[in-house]
Amino acid sequence: MSTDGSSALPKGYDPVGVERRWYAHWEASGFFQPGAGRSGGSGAERSSYCIMIPPPNVTGTLHMGHAFQDTLMDALIRQRRMRGDDTLWQTGTDHAGIATQMVVERQLAGEGKTRHDLGRALFLERVWQWKAHSGGTIVQQLRRLGASCDWTREVFTMDARLSLAVQEVFVRLYEEGLIYRGTRLVNWDPVLHTAVSDLEVVAEEEEGFLWHLRYPRPEGGVWVVVATTRPETMLGDTAVAVHPEDERYQHLIGREVLLPLVGRRIPVIADISVKPEFGSGCVKITPAHDFNDHEVGKRHRLPQINILTVDAALNEAVPVAYRGLDRYVARRRIVADLESQGLLAKVEPHRLMIPRGDRSKAVVEPFLTDQWFVRTAPLAVEAMQAVADGRIRFVPDAWQKTYFEWMENIQDWCISRQIWWGHRIPAWYGPDGRLFVDRDEAGARQQARRHYGRDVELTQDPDVLDTWFSSALWPFSTLGWPQQTPELAAFYPTDVLVTGFDIIFFWVARMIMMGLKFTGQVPFRTVYITGLVRDGEGNKMSKSKGNVLDPLDLIDGIDLETLVAKRTRDLMQPQLAQRIEAATRQEFPHGIPPFGTDALRFTMASLATQGRDIKFDLGRMEGYRNFCNKLWNAARFVLMNTEGRPCGQHWQGLPCPVVDRWILSRLQRVVTEVDGAFGKYRFDEAATTLYHFLWGDFCDWYLEWSKPTLYGHHGDPEEQTATRRVMLHVLEVALRLLHPLMPFITEELWQKVAPLAGAVGSGGSIMLAPWPQAVTELLDESAEARVAFVQEVVGAVRAMRSETGIPPGQKLTLLVAGEPALLETQIRRHEALILPMARLEAWQPVAGEAPVGCATAVLSQLRLYIPLQGVIDPEVEWARLTRELTRLDSDLERVRGKLANPAFLANAKAEVVQKERYKEQELQEKRQGIHDAMQRMALLRRVP
RNA sequence: GGGCGGGUAGCUCAGCCGGGAGAGCAUUGGCCUUACAAGCCGAGGGUCGCAGGUUCGAACCCUGUCCCGCCCACCA
């Protein structure tokens, strides 16, 4: 139909080329940078809008969680940019200390080396090389998602500028006494050889045993039996404890027992932490290797005997026979030795919580070491206040409770890590071990000179900071703090943080504490908490389960063999490969077809319901891929019918028939709903609203109605122009509304549609075009009601046709019975809309009884008949009517039941009662119609 | 042991400041209708986990209960 064949769109939407082309163009044009776009037409100050990306691990790759969260962030950013705000989506990557170091150490292990073979400097060089090599992957992948972050401001947590902020914060906290160094019992990872914080320990229930050990009394006689899950730690026992009111053991309190295998005399103490009903009611106390025992030990001033090495083997403090044994080897040996001495009373199976390092999965040990800590309690007070008084809002707000619960019980934060990759702690020691904390070595040297009166050799603390320490500063360190930069002034506090609930404690809480402490302001006003992306069965996606979906594979597609290879490569447990392969082949027999970025994004948005994890549904994604295609073809249709023709770019003087007023009115509602949905972070609402409007209202109805107008032999040129004008306008506005969720296809189409629609954005891109605003004058309830009625009529005819098996091609005449006035306003007036959509040749009014042998549909005040004689079996229509009658009867029964209830009439709101009355009348009329129809149909039936 | 979230159509999920149970996918019948078969037009399918309570009226509010999942916690 196009006059200019060259501009016609291809028949189907092909995302690949479109996406690459537009992203490159946007980025090169500087559209992602603050200040892009319209320069506030009114001259008024533009408000700023900022989102900080949760920085992905620099050496990582994009996973579904990123795809989900970054889609939402990008949608927010794009929407606000279109609204005219000065937007910044700050991007960057995280050095991820332990995770990254582990990767490089694993590479070294492949070469048969450890980091110690290289030494610190060479090892770090190696990590930087790895970062340079793989550090670009994830940011490139982020681009494929269409993320409109400002790449010119991309930072890395170990950039010099950000490192300065880290040192500054450390020094200030230290000087205020909020950072201290001390010997404490911490969680020790014996594989990684570093302390980790409480949050980095995950406890899981595992099968174990409860060993009952006999501790002899020096004076002989009865044993004292203690129950333990960790017999090997008995070598470090310095007491046995009972409950102070436990009558069984009153005589023992203050006496001593003999520690077997060691021969040490240790006291029996009374402590209320002992539960008399557990085990024997006696507990061994090992202050250096158990958190609870440690507290008991402090209360009773017990000695602390460290019996472990950094590898969790037994050290020099234990009897020679056990020295150097791994903890579990030692356990077996000790249990055996006790048994042979008759000191093992019994062993019972016991389920217990085993603490493991979240990275290494090694069982962590409570271990006495020197570490650095942040005193968190004082910081937490302000941080809780900020949420309590609403300066920070959680969405959904239920998470606020989780936040408070943790903050109220917050523990000091162990921030030192005995690894090499990270921010080195800015602390130096003099020859006598005296500590000097300063921003750099020169500063420390100066302090030392003042202290010692001369230059001395200083050694820097070998530890680095917990990665989350620098993450906590992210909202302001990225904007130039401690410098008072214009960016800091413009964009801090930021607007919304989009992140998962799994890092509320790790990250969100700490950003709030640090932000308030160092800027006096909250780091963000809203925390939008997303659920986790899971697989279709609701399982967490993980490499070892073999159920990981790579967002890029959904975008680009992947063939089965490549997918299988990818899922079974580099498994920690290679024996799983077979099962993973089989499951993969079953789930994706043909691999994964390419869906394109927009389909992925739209799926993510539509699944983003609040307060629950999302199970990723490939079927739904397919539906939204189809939606992309639908949109593409709708635009294709519009372009075919508008290019090179009068499109009435000025509204003036054009007729505005009811369908035009209807679709324009619907459009205004959609604008309002989508805008509201963005405001509420209800991306699912925004997505479904647009989906139904475009596919349903626009394609199924408006475009279909446009055909008779545009193609009609005696079409009115004015009306045709008006139709072109309206279809262009509606499409153009809808594209803009859709753009934050589907950036690529909307840009591609908008480029062609906008000029015809008379809409021109500055910069020539939809991403800088204005965000639509509802025009309330275009709301038209009367047009909406009239069209709704027409749709009802069309639907009724279509259903009759389909259910009675009338061939679609058969020309029909519709008979309509009803008040003449109604026939005029409801049918005659809309016949141009009804006839083509219902595929009718004509309609005729009928008075009184309809002819015998018609299919019948009853609307509230009209009866529709289609003559059936000779066309179908009356039995079919009879069955259909019976079904309808049954349905109406049950509805009527319910409504009449209500209206017969005096209590309902007395108590329900008047409008509700009125509505029920109206409903009863309507149902009654319909029922009568069906009833009449059945009577006449009965005449035709071949009754047996 | 405490806390939180969820249990609605075969599947994935909306609806939940109370007043006629919805969408997509799947199923099914009919259509090559000149934008789209990744499409068009129809249809079937749910005692809203269970039991009580409040109410004229409950998927929605309250209580209890059963499942599923998550978080926190030192029961050796």
Side-chain angles (χ1 to χ4, degrees):
Chain A
M1 301 300 282
S2 172
T3 49
D4 177 7
S6 66
S7 67
L9 296 175
K11 209 169 165 183
Y13 174 54
D14 175 22
V16 181
V18 171
E19 292 175 9
R20 300 227 181 245
R21 197 169 69 245
W22 283 116
Y23 196 89
H25 174 72
W26 294 331
E27 187 177 353
S29 307
F31 291 165
F32 301 159
Q33 295 165 34
R38 293 162 302 134
S39 43
S42 62
E45 187 90 350
R46 299 169 76 185
S47 53
S48 66
Y49 186 82
C50 180
I51 295 178
M52 291 282 160
I53 200 170
N57 180 346
V58 65
T59 61
T61 52
L62 203 72
H63 61 238
M64 292 295 274
H66 295 126
F68 179 37
Q69 294 177 351
D70 292 329
T71 291
L72 304 188
M73 281 180 250
D74 192 49
L76 289 167
I77 282 284
R78 284 181 184 272
Q79 190 238 357
R80 297 298 286 246
R81 191 185 287 120
M82 290 174 79
R83 267 173 56 165
D85 289 352
D86 193 19
T87 55
L88 169 62
W89 187 8
Q90 173 66 47
T91 189
T93 49
D94 192 279
H95 65 282
I98 291 178
T100 306
Q101 172 158 335
M102 276 177 74
V103 171
V104 177
E105 287 193 278
R106 205 173 301 142
Q107 292 170 0
L108 285 177
E111 302 162 22
K113 291 189 223 156
T114 72
R115 73 187 212 243
H116 300 283
D117 295 332
L118 272 68
R120 187 161 189 147
L122 274 179
F123 178 76
L124 287 180
E125 204 173 293
R126 179 87 185 232
V127 183
W128 280 106
Q129 277 170 18
W130 168 242
K131 186 239 171 197
H133 168 256
S134 75
T137 306
I138 199 159
V139 294
Q140 288 310 324
Q141 292 178 323
L142 208 42
R143 286 175 164 91
R144 291 297 316 279
L145 284 180
S148 63
C149 32
D150 181 1
W151 295 107
T152 66
R153 295 185 50 82
E154 181 186 350
V155 291
F156 175 53
T157 46
M158 279 175 53
D159 283 349
R161 203 166 52 74
L162 273 68
S163 298
L164 277 179
V166 169
Q167 286 151 13
E168 184 67 25
V169 164
F170 187 96
V171 171
R172 287 201 205 170
L173 288 175
Y174 178 79
E175 285 171 350
E176 278 193 57
L178 291 169
I179 279 181
Y180 63 91
R181 181 177 160 82
T183 308
R184 297 286 186 280
L185 199 59
V186 297
N187 301 295
W188 182 262
D189 187 317
V191 169
L192 298 174
H193 290 174
T194 180
V196 294
S197 72
D198 300 342
L199 290 175
E200 290 158 273
V201 176
V202 286
E204 270 177 35
E205 200 170 59
E206 294 180 21
E207 298 294 343
F209 297 94
L210 196 56
W211 284 272
H212 294 252
L213 313 180
R214 292 175 176 144
Y215 285 12
R217 298 174 59 187
E219 60 271 31
V222 262
W223 322 96
V224 172
V225 175
V226 299
T228 181
T229 54
R230 302 211 50 197
E232 69 280 8
T233 63
M234 58 87 61
L235 301 177
D237 285 1
T238 56
V240 165
V242 300
H243 192 272
E245 280 152 31
D246 192 334
E247 301 196 343
R248 293 171 294 175
Y249 300 117
Q250 288 299 314
H251 61 290
L252 287 176
I253 297 170
R255 312 288 288 268
E256 291 186 319
V257 296
L258 208 53
L259 188 61
L261 310 180
V262 180
R264 187 160 64 231
R265 283 175 170 234
I266 57 175
V268 178
I269 59 171
D271 194 281
I272 49 153
S273 69
V274 181
K275 304 266 186 299
E277 66 281 3
F278 187 90
S280 62
C282 275
V283 59
K284 59 192 273 306
I285 301 295
T286 321
H289 296 290
D290 181 282
F291 288 102
N292 191 42
D293 292 5
H294 189 72
E295 293 305 310
V296 175
K298 280 203 287 197
R299 283 200 285 274
H300 298 270
R301 301 180 184 284
L302 298 173
Q304 308 176 348
I305 305 177
N306 177 18
I307 61 164
L308 293 178
T309 67
V310 292
D311 297 306
L314 296 187
N315 68 13
E316 302 296 310
V318 305
V320 187
Y322 307 108
R323 284 182 198 163
L325 296 181
D326 171 78
R327 52 188 162 168
Y328 297 113
V329 176
R331 172 181 297 180
R332 281 197 295 278
R333 181 83 55 88
I334 285 167
V335 169
D337 290 350
L338 287 170
E339 188 170 20
S340 70
Q341 294 182 27
L343 296 177
L344 182 63
K346 65 171 168 176
V347 185
E348 29 179 26
H350 181 69
R351 290 186 70 81
L352 72 163
M353 299 295 276
I354 300 287
R356 291 178 183 274
D358 63 353
R359 291 288 170 189
S360 69
K361 306 298 177 208
V363 177
V364 299
E365 286 290 343
F367 195 56
L368 273 172
T369 51
D370 288 333
Q371 302 291 345
W372 292 88
F373 296 88
V374 173
R375 206 183 300 282
T376 43
L379 299 170
V381 174
E382 258 295 291
M384 283 190 280
Q385 186 57 37
V387 174
D389 65 23
R391 274 178 290 159
I392 296 177
R393 190 169 65 99
F394 278 84
V395 178
D397 62 3
W399 290 107
Q400 178 175 317
K401 191 166 177 176
T402 307
Y403 171 83
F404 280 128
E405 237 158 65
W406 189 71
M407 290 297 259
E408 277 159 15
N409 300 302
I410 195 165
Q411 302 292 309
D412 280 1
W413 172 16
C414 176
I415 50 171
S416 43
R417 297 289 179 275
Q418 286 70 52
I419 60 173
W420 291 346
W421 176 242
H423 295 101
R424 188 103 177 243
I425 289 178
W428 287 262
Y429 302 94
D432 55 352
R434 191 183 169 87
L435 184 60
F436 302 96
V437 169
D438 211 320
R439 286 157 184 81
D440 53 26
E441 187 166 354
R445 202 163 286 290
Q446 230 172 8
Q447 284 189 41
R449 192 179 304 122
R450 274 201 300 278
H451 175 74
Y452 295 108
R454 61 190 168 89
D455 281 329
V456 297
E457 190 162 344
L458 293 180
T459 48
Q460 186 172 5
D461 193 301
D463 291 353
V464 301
L465 288 164
D466 180 5
T467 304
W468 296 104
F469 191 89
S470 57
S471 311
L473 321 181
W474 185 252
F476 52 93
S477 65
T478 51
L479 295 173
W481 187 93
Q483 307 264 311
Q484 285 305 314
T485 61
E487 290 83 1
L488 195 62
F491 295 112
Y492 192 93
T494 69
D495 290 88
V496 56
L497 177 77
V498 178
T499 194
F501 61 83
D502 50 331
I503 52 176
I504 290 180
F505 308 143
F506 276 107
W507 195 40
V508 180
R510 288 163 176 171
M511 279 193 285
I512 295 174
M513 290 191 283
M514 292 300 195
L516 287 164
K517 176 70 186 169
F518 289 97
T519 70
Q521 287 181 287
V522 296
F524 29 72
R525 300 188 173 91
T526 301
V527 182
Y528 176 82
I529 298 288
T530 66
L532 249 46
V533 183
R534 299 168 176 279
D535 75 1
E537 267 79 55
N539 297 307
K540 240 179 183 164
M541 290 193 188
S542 76
K543 179 84 184 157
S544 63
K545 289 198 188 99
N547 61 351
V548 173
L549 282 176
D550 182 337
L552 293 189
D553 293 342
L554 297 173
I555 293 173
D556 296 329
I558 185 168
D559 66 80
L560 179 59
E561 298 311 319
T562 313
L563 179 62
V564 166
K566 193 167 166 178
R567 282 184 163 190
T568 52
R569 192 189 308 140
D570 297 331
L571 284 173
M572 295 283 212
Q573 299 158 280
Q575 69 273 20
L576 297 176
Q578 266 197 321
R579 200 185 321 153
I580 290 173
E581 174 168 356
T584 302
R585 286 185 187 281
Q586 194 184 353
E587 191 180 358
F588 305 102
H590 310 292
I592 299 173
F595 291 104
T597 298
D598 288 328
L600 175 63
R601 290 174 58 120
F602 202 78
T603 307
M604 290 300 186
S606 69
L607 291 174
T609 58
Q610 290 192 349
R612 64 153 87 196
D613 287 351
I614 65 178
K615 294 188 206 173
F616 192 80
D617 182 5
L618 210 63
R620 223 157 137 165
M621 177 138 169
E622 200 177 327
Y624 294 132
R625 187 262 323 256
N626 296 352
F627 176 56
C628 289
N629 199 52
K630 185 74 180 177
L631 178 64
W632 182 263
N633 277 288
R636 189 162 165 256
F637 175 82
V638 170
L639 291 169
M640 284 166 77
N641 287 289
T642 51
E643 284 180 317
R645 296 154 199 267
C647 295
Q649 294 187 353
H650 311 287
W651 287 98
Q652 280 74 15
L654 290 176
C656 201
V658 65
V659 281
D660 288 10
R661 280 180 278 132
W662 163 75
I663 195 73
L664 289 169
S665 180
R666 287 283 305 125
L667 179 65
Q668 307 320 309
R669 296 196 193 280
V670 167
V671 168
T672 305
E673 280 171 39
V674 172
D675 189 68
F678 269 91
K680 291 184 295 182
Y681 302 97
R682 288 304 302 260
F683 304 97
D684 58 327
E685 277 183 23
T688 47
T689 299
L690 284 162
Y691 182 95
H692 288 122
F693 175 71
L694 277 164
W695 200 313
D697 292 340
F698 189 60
C699 290
D700 291 344
W701 293 99
Y702 187 79
L703 292 187
E704 292 304 323
W705 272 321
S706 78
K707 288 176 184 175
T709 308
L710 295 173
Y711 300 160
H713 298 300
H714 30 261
D716 170 19
E718 286 270 283
E719 216 168 282
Q720 289 177 337
T721 304
T723 298
R724 289 190 200 103
R725 172 68 192 131
V726 170
M727 61 168 58
L728 281 167
H729 172 76
V730 172
L731 180 59
E732 192 274 332
V733 173
L735 286 172
R736 278 188 277 138
L737 277 179
L738 201 49
H739 178 258
L741 297 178
M742 291 188 160
F744 294 111
I745 190 173
T746 51
E747 176 74 295
E748 179 75 7
L749 295 176
W750 189 82
Q751 291 295 329
K752 298 198 162 62
V753 170
L756 294 168
V760 194
S762 67
S765 167
I766 192 174
M767 61 173 286
L768 304 180
W771 179 248
Q773 298 216 306
V775 181
T776 47
E777 296 79 64
L778 289 176
L779 287 174
D780 190 334
E781 282 186 30
S782 141
E784 288 187 45
R786 284 171 58 190
V787 169
F789 181 81
V790 169
Q791 288 173 327
E792 206 183 336
V793 173
V794 171
V797 176
R798 283 170 171 175
M800 278 191 277
R801 212 188 181 64
S802 183
E803 286 174 49
T804 55
I806 303 170
Q810 179 155 342
K811 294 290 183 186
L812 293 177
T813 296
L814 179 70
L815 307 180
V816 188
E819 295 286 324
L822 271 174
L823 293 183
E824 174 57 30
T825 56
Q826 306 284 59
I827 305 293
R828 169 84 61 203
R829 198 167 160 201
H830 298 126
E831 62 185 9
L833 302 179
I834 294 170
L835 298 184
M837 292 291 262
R839 314 201 81 203
L840 294 168
E841 198 169 39
W843 74 282
Q844 285 173 14
V846 287
E849 294 292 304
V852 169
C854 285
T856 306
V858 183
L859 305 185
S860 51
Q861 297 179 64
L862 294 175
R863 295 180 186 183
L864 311 179
Y865 306 105
I866 294 178
L868 280 181
Q869 236 141 7
V871 178
I872 62 124
D873 184 350
E875 295 302 319
V876 175
E877 174 65 2
W878 180 264
R880 194 179 74 90
L881 292 171
T882 307
R883 210 168 55 218
E884 185 66 21
L885 190 71
T886 312
R887 201 173 299 161
L888 288 168
D889 277 339
S890 85
D891 283 357
L892 255 180
E893 194 182 344
R894 195 162 25 87
V895 172
R896 285 184 172 152
K898 272 192 182 182
L899 290 170
N901 179 356
F904 172 73
L905 299 176
N907 294 315
K909 278 179 291 188
E911 70 221 50
V912 173
V913 177
Q914 193 50 47
K915 211 168 137 192
E916 291 297 318
R917 289 221 163 91
Y918 176 75
K919 204 187 300 175
E920 185 202 15
Q921 188 188 340
E922 195 178 14
L923 286 169
Q924 172 51 35
E925 280 171 20
K926 285 189 180 177
R927 193 194 180 283
Q928 188 60 50
I930 298 294
H931 180 76
D932 293 348
M934 288 179 81
Q935 284 200 324
R936 265 167 279 122
M937 188 56 61
L939 304 174
L940 277 185
R941 298 179 73 205
R942 300 179 302 266
V943 185

